[in-house]
Amino acid sequence: MTNAAPPRPPAGTDAPGRLTDPADIAALVASDHHDPFGVLGPHPDGDGTVLRCFRPDAAAVEAIDPDSGVVLARLERRHPDGVFDGRIGRPFPPRYRLRIDYGTAGGVWEIEDPYRFPSSFGEVDLHLLGEGTHLELYHRLGAHPRTLDGVDGTVFAVWAPNARRVALVGDFNGWDGRLHPMRLHPGVGVWEIFLPGVGPGAAYKFEIRGQNGDLLPLKTDPFAFRAEHPPKTASIVHGLPDYGWDDGGWLVRRPAAQRRDAPISIYEVHAGSWRRVPEEGNRPLSWRELGDQLIPYAAGLGFTHIELLPVSEYPFDGSWGYQPIGLYAPTSRFGPPEDFAAFVDRCHRAGLGVLLDWVPGHFPTDEHGLARFDGTALYEHADPRQGMHQDWGTLIYNYGRAEVRNFLLGNALYWLDRFHVDGLRVDAVASMLYLDYSRKAGEWVPNRFGGRENLEAVEFLRETNVEVYGRHEGVATVAEESTAWPAVSRPAHLGGLGFGYKWNMGWMNDTLRYMQKDPVHRHWHHHDLTFGLLYAFSENFVLPLSHDEVVHGKGSLLGKMPGDDWQKFANLRAYFGFMWAHPGKKLLFMGGEFAQANEWSHDRSLDWHLLEAGPHHAGVQRLVGDLNRLYRELPALHVRDCEPDGFDWIDASNSADSILAWLRLGNEGDRPVLAISNLTPVPRQGYRIGVPQGGRWAERLNTDAAAYGGSGMGNGGGAEAEASPWHGRPFSLLLTLPPLSTVLFEWAG
C-alpha cells in the first residue's frame, strides 16, 4: 500500500539521554504526533531506559512490576497536560504496568501500557499489503482480539497512507483521541496498535488528522467484522466470525448444483421485509427466525437457492443494502455474524444454496465511511468525472489503485471463506464497465486509448472471478449487466469477464412490456417474446423478475397484468409458465410467488394475509411450487438451459392468435417437453401443434388448472400424436389451449 512521505522526520528516537523534547511534548499534547511509538513507552538510553507516557488529568504515574507490585520507576510530570517520563539506570524489564493516580476524584488505576508492545505485523504481511496482493488481508486489517505476552487485548490496524496522525477512540477511552495514537508502518501506510484489556463488544472508530492538520469526522473501520445497529455508526470489536460448520455434505454436492446443466431456481429475498413481527413493533425477523421460517418455506416451494439483497452493513434502510459502508460486517439488523453463518449453514443442510448481492461498484458519501477516508480521495477517484456516480450520488471505487482492488477482492473471498456462501451476484456491473455510464459528453474521462471502457474495472472483475473460482470449488458469480457487453459469462482466459452467469435484463424488459399490453394489442408486439431467443445462448443467462421490477412506482407483478382480476391472475400464471419453460435459470423476488398485490416496500412485511383471501393467491403459490418441482424433475427443462440445441421453435410466428409453441430438449435419452402459451383470453379448441414423435404426450402442467385458480380447461391429462405432419413435423397433436395459459407436455412414448 503506497504511502505518502511523512510530514516530518520521526521524533523522539534520535537523542540518547534525552528525557523530554519540547517538540514531542507539544505534538503529543496537541494530538498531532505522527510517531507516538518513537516517543511513548520504553526506549533504550545508553545503559538505561527512558519510559514515557501521556495520561491527561493524571496526578502521578508509576511503573510497577505486574506480579509483585514493586515500583520500578516513578515518572516525572513534564507537561501539565499529562506528559510523564522517567529514567532508570539499567535495562528496563520487558513486562511492567502503569499505576496511574487520578487524585481523589478519579482514584488509582493499573493498566498495561500499549506502547510497550511490538508490532504484530510480519515482513511478509507488510510486503503483500504494500503491493496490494494480500488476498487474506482481513486477517491483518481490522480489529483482532489477541493475547500478546500473556496479555489479552485487541490489535487494531487501518490503512490511511496520507494521514498525518491516526488514533483509536472508543468507549474504552471515553472517545478521547489523545490517549491512543497509533503506530505507522511508513512503507505501506498502515497504522496499528495493540490495546490491552479491550475485547469483543467494544465500540470504536478512528480519529484521523489529514495532511493539512485538520481533524476528519471519526471514521468507522473499513474491515470491521461487526457494527452498531443503525442509526448508530461505531464499529464493534468482534474478531473473525467463529462458527462450527455442519455443511460438509452440501459443499461436496455444490459443484453439481450450480453448473450450467443444473436446475437453478432462485428466491430473491430482502431479509428485513420478508416477514415482520407486528406484535413487537413491526420488527424484522432475526437470522435465527429466518432460519426457522424462510428456509423451510423456500425449500418447500422447490427453490434451489436463496439470494439475499446485500447484507453488508449499510446506514440507510431505504438503500436496501445497495449503499454499504461496512463491507466486511454482516448487518447488525438481524443478529451477530455467527447467526448469519448459522443461517447459511441451515440453508445448506436443507439443500438450498445461498447467493449474496455484492456491491463493489460504489459506496455512499456518509462522513463516517470511506469517503475521503484519510483526508484524500483514497478509495474513490479525486476527479468527480470519474469518482461520483451521477444517478445515486455515491462514490465510485478507484479500480486503478492496487490497494482498493485488494480491499474489494479480499471482501469477495471473505464472504466465501468465512460464511460459506455459494456465490456472489455483482450489482450494477454496467456502471462499472463504462466510463460514460449515465454521463453526458464532457462529463467523463476517456481511457488511455480514448475509449469509454473502464479498463481498470474490467481487469478487476476478471481478477475477482479468477480468484473466486480458483479458490472455491463449485461457487458461482452472477453479473447484473444490462448492456450488450460481450462474453460476460465466458472465462477470463478466453477473453470474457469470467462470470458464471449473467442476468438477462433484455428478456425481462421485453417480456414484461409484452405482458402489460392488453391482449387485443399483443399481436402487434409478438416479437417481444421471440426476440430473446436470438441471443438466449450468447451468455449463461438467469431470467430475473427481481426487486427492481416492483419498486419506484412500477407496481407489483400482478398489478402490471391487464384485465379484470381473473385475467390478471391468469396472465401472471401464464407468464410464470412461459418463464419456467424458457431457456435460462430462474429468479423470482419474494412476494411474486403468491402474487403480492401491492408494490414492495422495504419497511413492511409481505402481504401474507392474501393467502387466506381466496383461491387465487394461494393458487399462484401452488403453481410456482409445481413449476419448480417440474423444472428439477424434467432434465429437458434445465440441462441445456445455456445451449442452443436445448431449444427448438415449433411455432414462433402465430402473432395473430398470440400463441407460441416450442420444444425443450435434454441430453440423449431425456424426454422432450412441449410448451405452448396462449396469451389471449380466447380458448382454442382443436388447435393443431406439430411434434417430432408419435405416441402419447402427457400434460404435465397447465397454468389454467383449477388448483391454481384457473378455469380448469385442459386436455384430460394428455393427447395422442397423430401421423399428420404439421409445423414441419411428422406428427401433430390436436389440443385444447385454455385462455391466458401455458401448458407443458412431456413425451411419454
Side-chain angles (χ1 to χ4, degrees):
M1 298 185 173
T2 306
N3 181 44
R8 62 183 184 219
T13 59
D14 57 355
R18 180 186 64 196
L19 290 184
T20 59
D21 181 302
D24 286 336
I25 290 178
L28 285 171
V29 170
S31 298
D32 196 22
H33 204 299
H34 72 287
D35 183 26
F37 278 82
V39 180
L40 300 174
H43 295 273
D45 181 41
D47 60 352
T49 303
V50 170
L51 177 64
R52 302 185 183 92
C53 72
F54 178 40
R55 301 303 300 182
D57 304 321
V61 179
E62 298 173 326
I64 64 172
D65 182 279
D67 299 318
S68 66
V70 172
V71 175
L72 302 172
R74 290 183 174 86
L75 308 188
E76 183 179 346
R77 182 191 297 275
R78 301 296 181 182
H79 190 281
D81 283 349
V83 178
F84 295 82
D85 66 13
R87 185 180 188 279
I88 60 174
R90 63 185 187 279
F92 209 71
R95 296 181 64 242
Y96 66 90
R97 303 188 79 195
L98 296 176
R99 179 183 289 157
I100 305 171
D101 185 352
Y102 286 101
T104 56
V108 177
W109 297 75
E110 290 186 8
I111 67 166
E112 296 285 349
D113 185 1
Y115 298 93
R116 80 170 177 86
F117 293 91
S119 170
S120 63
F121 277 76
E123 291 185 5
V124 173
D125 284 319
L126 291 173
H127 173 75
L128 295 175
L129 286 166
E131 67 179 14
T133 59
H134 202 313
L135 296 184
E136 293 184 347
L137 74 171
Y138 59 83
H139 283 282
R140 308 307 301 159
L141 299 181
H144 295 269
R146 299 271 172 82
T147 300
L148 298 182
D149 195 20
V151 177
D152 293 335
T154 297
V155 174
F156 297 86
V158 63
W159 179 55
N162 302 302
R164 180 160 153 173
R165 174 187 180 272
V166 179
L168 182 69
V169 297
D171 53 13
F172 41 80
N173 64 10
W175 302 92
D176 188 339
R178 298 174 297 172
L179 296 181
H180 295 121
M182 302 173 75
R183 169 193 285 115
L184 172 64
H185 294 280
V188 292
V190 169
W191 302 76
E192 173 211 9
I193 193 170
F194 172 71
L195 208 56
V198 174
Y204 71 100
K205 287 185 178 181
F206 298 110
E207 181 185 271
I208 299 176
R209 189 177 294 276
Q211 287 179 329
N212 61 4
D214 292 341
L215 278 178
L216 306 178
L218 294 181
K219 294 291 188 176
T220 54
D221 185 355
F223 284 85
F225 304 123
R226 192 172 181 182
E228 287 186 312
H229 193 298
K232 295 182 178 180
T233 59
S235 301
I236 301 293
V237 175
H238 190 78
L240 287 169
D242 184 17
Y243 180 78
W245 292 91
D246 188 26
D247 62 347
W250 164 260
L251 295 180
V252 171
R253 299 191 303 273
R254 181 171 70 182
Q258 302 198 148
R259 288 194 315 234
R260 295 166 70 248
D261 62 355
I264 296 178
S265 182
I266 303 164
Y267 188 50
E268 190 190 28
V269 173
H270 177 259
S273 60
W274 182 73
R275 179 171 282 154
R276 294 206 167 202
V277 185
E279 301 84 5
E280 299 178 24
N282 201 37
R283 68 166 177 83
L285 300 181
S286 67
W287 288 124
R288 299 283 180 175
E289 292 168 321
L290 285 165
D292 293 336
Q293 299 179 42
L294 171 59
I295 292 174
Y297 177 80
L301 282 178
F303 288 99
T304 64
H305 290 69
I306 290 174
E307 179 176 322
L308 296 167
L309 272 60
V311 301
S312 295
E313 193 59 81
Y314 55 99
F316 176 47
D317 285 350
S319 78
W320 318 325
Y322 288 103
Q323 294 188 15
I325 277 186
L327 281 185
Y328 286 80
T331 178
S332 58
R333 291 166 172 82
F334 315 121
E338 287 73 19
D339 282 5
F340 176 63
F343 174 81
V344 176
D345 194 40
R346 291 181 67 179
C347 283
H348 288 171
R349 285 185 278 132
L352 288 169
V354 179
L355 306 177
L356 292 189
D357 279 13
W358 185 53
V359 189
H362 63 129
F363 57 92
T365 59
D366 299 62
E367 63 179 13
H368 63 280
L370 297 179
R372 298 191 65 82
F373 186 78
D374 63 358
T376 67
L378 186 62
Y379 287 88
E380 70 272 31
H381 286 278
D383 189 334
R385 295 176 300 167
Q386 298 171 288
M388 176 63 73
H389 200 295
Q390 301 294 309
D391 291 344
W392 303 314
T394 52
L395 299 174
I396 300 170
Y397 287 104
N398 182 354
Y399 306 108
R401 187 163 194 164
E403 301 93 336
V404 174
R405 292 197 307 272
N406 199 180
F407 168 74
L408 294 170
L409 173 54
N411 184 248
L413 296 174
Y414 169 75
W415 291 104
L416 302 169
D417 293 341
R418 307 304 303 191
F419 292 102
H420 289 203
V421 301
D422 303 294
L424 302 171
R425 175 270 196 184
V426 183
D427 180 62
V429 170
S431 74
M432 301 170 66
L433 293 175
Y434 297 98
L435 295 167
D436 63 345
Y437 183 87
S438 197
R439 296 178 187 273
K440 299 175 183 177
E443 295 179 346
W444 57 282
V445 178
N447 63 35
R448 62 181 180 271
F449 302 112
R452 60 196 286 254
E453 299 80 11
N454 189 332
L455 302 179
E456 290 83 6
V458 170
E459 185 57 34
F460 161 70
L461 291 171
R462 285 175 173 159
E463 181 185 7
T464 299
N465 282 316
V466 167
E467 293 295 342
V468 163
Y469 279 100
R471 290 171 175 267
H472 292 276
E473 186 178 7
V475 298
T477 58
V478 184
E480 185 209 16
E481 203 287 308
S482 56
T483 74
W485 186 282
V488 171
S489 58
R490 294 297 179 266
H493 69 273
L494 297 178
L497 292 182
F499 286 93
Y501 297 96
K502 172 182 172 175
W503 274 20
N504 194 335
M505 310 294 281
W507 176 90
M508 175 274 298
N509 282 313
D510 290 347
T511 59
L512 277 179
R513 182 170 58 246
Y514 176 92
M515 293 303 301
Q516 291 178 80
K517 303 293 184 184
D518 188 290
V520 73
H521 301 302
R522 284 178 175 170
H523 68 282
W524 299 110
H525 304 276
H526 197 69
H527 64 283
D528 282 340
L529 294 188
T530 61
F531 180 70
L533 270 302
L534 296 178
Y535 61 86
F537 310 104
S538 61
E539 302 276 2
N540 302 329
F541 277 125
V542 174
L543 309 182
L545 293 177
S546 75
H547 64 280
D548 280 329
E549 314 323 316
V550 293
V551 292
H552 300 319
K554 298 176 187 176
S556 64
L557 291 180
L558 181 67
K560 298 178 194 298
M561 301 296 116
D564 58 24
D565 282 349
W566 189 96
Q567 290 189 358
K568 284 180 180 293
F569 281 98
N571 270 300
L572 185 61
R573 294 193 304 268
Y575 185 40
F576 283 164
F578 172 81
M579 173 181 177
W580 259 258
H582 193 285
K585 310 309 178 187
K586 324 303 175 190
L587 180 140
L588 182 62
F589 183 59
M590 63 182 200
E593 79 279 8
F594 63 81
Q596 167 102 1
N598 290 317
E599 181 175 281
W600 171 61
S601 171
H602 68 274
D603 57 8
R604 67 169 184 261
S605 173
L606 296 180
D607 294 332
W608 294 103
H609 64 277
L610 295 176
L611 291 171
E612 309 299 326
H616 295 294
H617 294 281
V620 173
Q621 184 189 57
R622 189 175 298 112
L623 169 66
V624 170
D626 286 349
L627 284 168
N628 277 332
R629 281 183 277 275
L630 206 62
Y631 178 54
R632 299 171 77 164
E633 178 185 336
L634 302 182
L637 289 180
H638 64 259
V639 296
R640 294 189 176 182
D641 261 336
C642 305
E643 300 174 23
D645 56 1
F647 179 89
D648 190 11
W649 279 119
I650 296 291
D651 185 3
S653 59
N654 189 358
S655 60
D657 295 329
S658 298
I659 292 175
L660 295 164
W662 66 98
L663 288 172
R664 294 299 311 278
L665 306 168
N667 296 323
E668 185 176 353
D670 294 332
R671 296 178 174 181
V673 171
L674 169 67
I676 311 162
S677 290
N678 173 19
L679 296 172
T680 71
V682 180
R684 308 288 177 177
Q685 304 281 357
Y687 193 90
R688 191 172 292 277
I689 294 284
V691 290
Q693 290 150 296
R696 183 166 178 79
W697 288 73
E699 188 176 75
R700 296 300 307 271
L701 185 137
N702 179 348
T703 65
D704 189 53
Y708 306 141
S711 66
M713 183 178 293
N715 293 276
E720 294 289 334
E722 302 175 359
S724 299
W726 205 259
H727 291 131
R729 312 290 166 154
F731 301 91
S732 60
L733 300 171
L734 209 58
L735 300 174
T736 295
L737 303 183
L740 296 173
S741 68
T742 296
V743 187
L744 303 183
F745 296 85
E746 180 191 19
W747 181 64

